[in-house]
Amino acid sequence: GFKIGLNPDLEITHLSGASSKNPKFTQWSGEMQGLINFSYDNFGVFYGLWVSGLVRLALVLRIIAFATFTKLDYAGTYLKVLTSL
């Protein structure tokens, strides 16, 4: 058979950030940073810079759009993502 162990100090954190204090920020910043890193690593500096600029532009446009439609919590999260890159 198998032995079952119990550890009361165990902490589980999901890769997408679902267990974090701000899952939207954790997930979105990870996705954006991952896209930028992937571009640099696989396609070189020029393409990495291009994708980095496009990601930042997309974030600014999302901030404007969500702020316009009074979804300030989403706009604030996207602003945090933009400043974290």
Side-chain angles (χ1 to χ4, degrees), residues 6-80:
L6 178 65
N7 184 351
D9 297 324
L10 183 68
E11 183 177 312
I12 297 174
T13 303
H14 295 270
L15 291 177
S16 66
S19 296
S20 67
K21 293 181 181 174
N22 192 345
K24 290 178 190 169
F25 170 73
T26 304
Q27 180 181 358
W28 294 344
S29 64
E31 288 175 4
M32 300 301 169
Q33 191 62 56
L35 180 62
I36 293 169
N37 291 345
F38 180 82
S39 300
Y40 273 106
D41 293 345
N42 293 288
F43 302 107
V45 174
F46 177 76
Y47 190 74
L49 287 171
W50 177 252
V51 170
S52 179
L54 289 177
V55 165
R56 285 173 169 78
L57 175 63
L59 288 170
V60 168
L61 293 175
R62 286 181 180 203
I63 291 166
I64 293 169
F66 282 114
T68 301
F69 295 111
T70 65
K71 298 215 176 223
L72 299 179
D73 56 333
Y74 283 95
T77 303
Y78 277 118
L79 181 60
K80 277 180 62 177

